[in-house]
Amino acid sequence: MTSSSYIPAAEMAKLTRAAPYALSVLLIPLAWACAVTGGWTVILLPVFTWYLFVALDFAVGLDPDNADPDTDDDDLFWYRAITIAWAPLQFINLFALIWYVAPADHLGVLEKLVLFFGVGAVTGTVGINYAHELMHQRSKLERWCADVLLAMVLYSHFRSEHMLVHHRYVGTPRDTVTARMGETFYRFYPRVLKESLISAWNAEKDMLARKDLPWSDMSNPFFRYWYLQGTFLVLAFALGGWAGLGLFLLQAGVAIWQLELVNYIEHYGLTRKHLGDGKYEHVHPRHSWNATHRASNWLLINLQRHSDHHYKPDRRFPVLQNHTEADAPQLPYGYPVMTMAAMLPRVWKRIMHPRVRAWRDMYYPEITDWTAYNKATNPRPR
């Protein structure tokens, strides 16, 4: 159940209302301060990206308020500007850091590795998340920005998998990134790395086949993905040599890990009811975990309002609605804390399994045997 009184469009249009979502930009000068100073400061990027926002969540609390979902795009100018601007900002920051850090004599090997681990925390937590917002829009500019951001972390196929597979088949055995009840992140991660790439490729190939086109047709977005990724690999090598290429690969790996940690927690144990004959119920807010922690939603541009995102995928992030416990399951903490918990299977199980069981009792008391759902052995959706 969402709020019956909305924040009016005139209030949403104010720069001051959008400004907290731009806090991520402060991570760029912080990255340069770390690179120039070196020493212990190289740990500050992940500390600020994760732990600062955890502290802010406890300090500023929850945000249950909702914007009017019919707010016009013109009133959301500043929010759109924040996401579009991040693509060139990240591009300049990433490759300038490679140019500066790779040959830097004042930084040891360990300092460089730790620094670019932090860079990956930013390109994953912020960059991929902004790409997720941008890929859902109709504007060619926004979709191009999404492709650029994903290519910078060598995960371009995420766009195809997310748009063509995940949203359509979430909560069913056909969705790779719906984490299964009892599946640890350490089992989920290698599975999803393999299956999501295959799933994305097959989805694009099948779409071309429906148009009587072969996979080799140049309209296949994988050619664009490969071109952009290859360009960025060459650029990293040109700017920093083998060291620069290694640092680029490191940040990409960290970014992918960050994305899949988030994917893991967003739907863990939440499945759509099989209605028989390969048919499944429609997607509802109850099929995604919701979190309304204010500060981490600033960092993640309301990604934690994931219940509404899957319910209404076309909504821009400022107008995503908060669903209460009446119609969506709630995470006890924001994503920064939950992703840390996901790395500790015993802690994760202690936090989440009672909540999954309560969700099942609340929405599906008629299902007494969950084995097929837990093992994803129900029939694949038609």
Side-chain angles (χ1 to χ4, degrees):
M1 182 181 298
T2 57
S3 173
S4 58
S5 60
Y6 295 120
I7 302 169
E11 177 65 20
M12 290 296 297
K14 294 179 180 178
L15 174 59
T16 51
R17 173 67 68 166
Y21 294 101
L23 285 172
S24 301
V25 174
L26 298 178
L27 296 171
I28 294 176
L30 176 61
W32 280 95
C34 297
V36 171
T37 306
W40 66 270
T41 66
V42 295
I43 69 170
L44 290 179
L45 270 181
V47 167
F48 273 69
T49 306
W50 300 332
Y51 301 108
L52 174 62
F53 281 89
V54 171
L56 286 175
D57 268 344
F58 284 103
V60 301
L62 305 179
D63 178 20
D65 298 330
N66 290 316
D68 186 339
D70 296 322
T71 301
D72 191 86
D73 266 12
D74 290 340
D75 293 316
L76 301 176
F77 170 81
W78 291 114
Y79 306 89
R80 292 187 288 120
I82 289 168
T83 53
I84 292 172
W86 184 259
L89 287 174
Q90 179 173 299
F91 174 85
I92 294 169
N93 185 57
L94 174 60
F95 289 103
L97 279 170
I98 289 173
W99 168 81
Y100 177 79
V101 170
D105 292 332
H106 69 287
L107 295 171
V109 173
L110 181 59
E111 289 169 281
K112 293 177 182 180
L113 294 176
V114 173
L115 176 62
F116 266 76
F117 177 93
V119 172
V122 176
T123 56
T125 302
V126 182
I128 296 182
N129 187 38
Y130 281 32
H132 168 257
E133 169 71 13
L134 291 161
M135 73 173 69
H136 275 280
Q137 310 312 320
R138 297 180 180 179
S139 158
K140 289 184 178 180
L141 171 62
E142 289 173 291
R143 292 190 175 191
W144 175 251
C145 286
D147 283 341
V148 169
L149 287 169
L150 291 175
M152 276 188 268
V153 295
L154 305 179
Y155 219 56
S156 298
H157 67 276
F158 172 63
R159 172 176 161 177
S160 294
E161 194 281 334
H162 185 82
M163 300 295 289
L164 301 181
V165 182
H166 177 58
H167 270 275
R168 182 175 182 181
Y169 299 113
V170 63
T172 75
R174 192 167 174 178
D175 180 42
T176 297
V177 298
T178 296
R180 302 156 188 173
M181 176 74 158
E183 182 180 36
T184 68
F185 177 73
Y186 298 98
R187 295 179 63 185
F188 169 86
Y189 190 44
R191 178 177 67 78
V192 79
L193 287 178
K194 175 185 176 182
E195 292 181 6
S196 65
L197 178 58
I198 295 172
S199 175
W201 173 261
N202 288 336
E204 293 291 359
K205 186 177 67 173
D206 291 346
M207 179 173 285
L208 288 168
R210 288 193 291 272
K211 301 176 183 178
D212 294 323
L213 296 172
W215 70 264
S216 56
D217 189 86
M218 291 307 296
S219 63
N220 187 336
F222 270 81
F223 290 111
R224 181 171 67 254
Y225 300 163
W226 293 332
Y227 168 76
L228 285 171
Q229 290 177 173
T231 298
F232 291 154
L233 286 167
V234 170
L235 181 57
F237 181 79
L239 292 172
W242 290 110
L245 181 60
L247 293 174
F248 178 81
L249 292 173
L250 172 61
Q251 66 81 31
V254 174
I256 293 167
W257 165 62
Q258 285 286 280
L259 166 66
E260 297 303 351
L261 266 173
V262 169
N263 273 335
Y264 177 75
I265 69 176
E266 284 175 337
H267 305 281
Y268 180 83
L270 305 182
T271 49
R272 287 153 63 188
K273 183 179 179 180
H274 180 228
L275 304 177
D277 195 27
K279 296 180 181 178
Y280 287 81
E281 63 177 319
H282 291 298
V283 178
H284 296 285
R286 64 175 174 265
H287 295 120
S288 308
W289 291 98
N290 188 73
T292 188
H293 299 77
R294 189 186 301 270
S296 46
N297 267 327
W298 289 340
L299 174 69
L300 300 171
I301 55 172
N302 282 344
L303 181 67
Q304 298 175 142
R305 294 188 169 196
H306 210 60
S307 296
D308 198 55
H309 171 65
H310 271 272
Y311 185 52
K312 299 289 183 180
D314 293 335
R315 283 180 178 162
R316 289 186 180 272
F317 81 86
V319 297
L320 287 173
Q321 305 293 289
N322 174 54
H323 290 269
T324 68
E325 62 277 0
D327 58 358
Q330 306 293 310
L331 291 173
Y333 309 104
Y335 283 9
V337 172
M338 297 307 296
T339 52
M340 294 177 213
M343 295 297 294
L344 303 168
R346 290 185 180 180
V347 174
W348 178 258
K349 181 178 179 180
R350 189 160 56 246
I351 293 173
M352 293 302 296
H353 282 203
R355 288 175 167 83
V356 174
R357 293 189 188 100
W359 175 85
R360 290 175 170 181
D361 290 342
M362 179 176 181
Y363 291 107
Y364 305 103
E366 71 280 9
I367 300 177
T368 57
D369 185 358
W370 286 90
T371 303
Y373 292 91
N374 293 342
K375 296 183 179 297
T377 56
N378 276 327
R380 289 168 65 85
R382 296 189 303 175

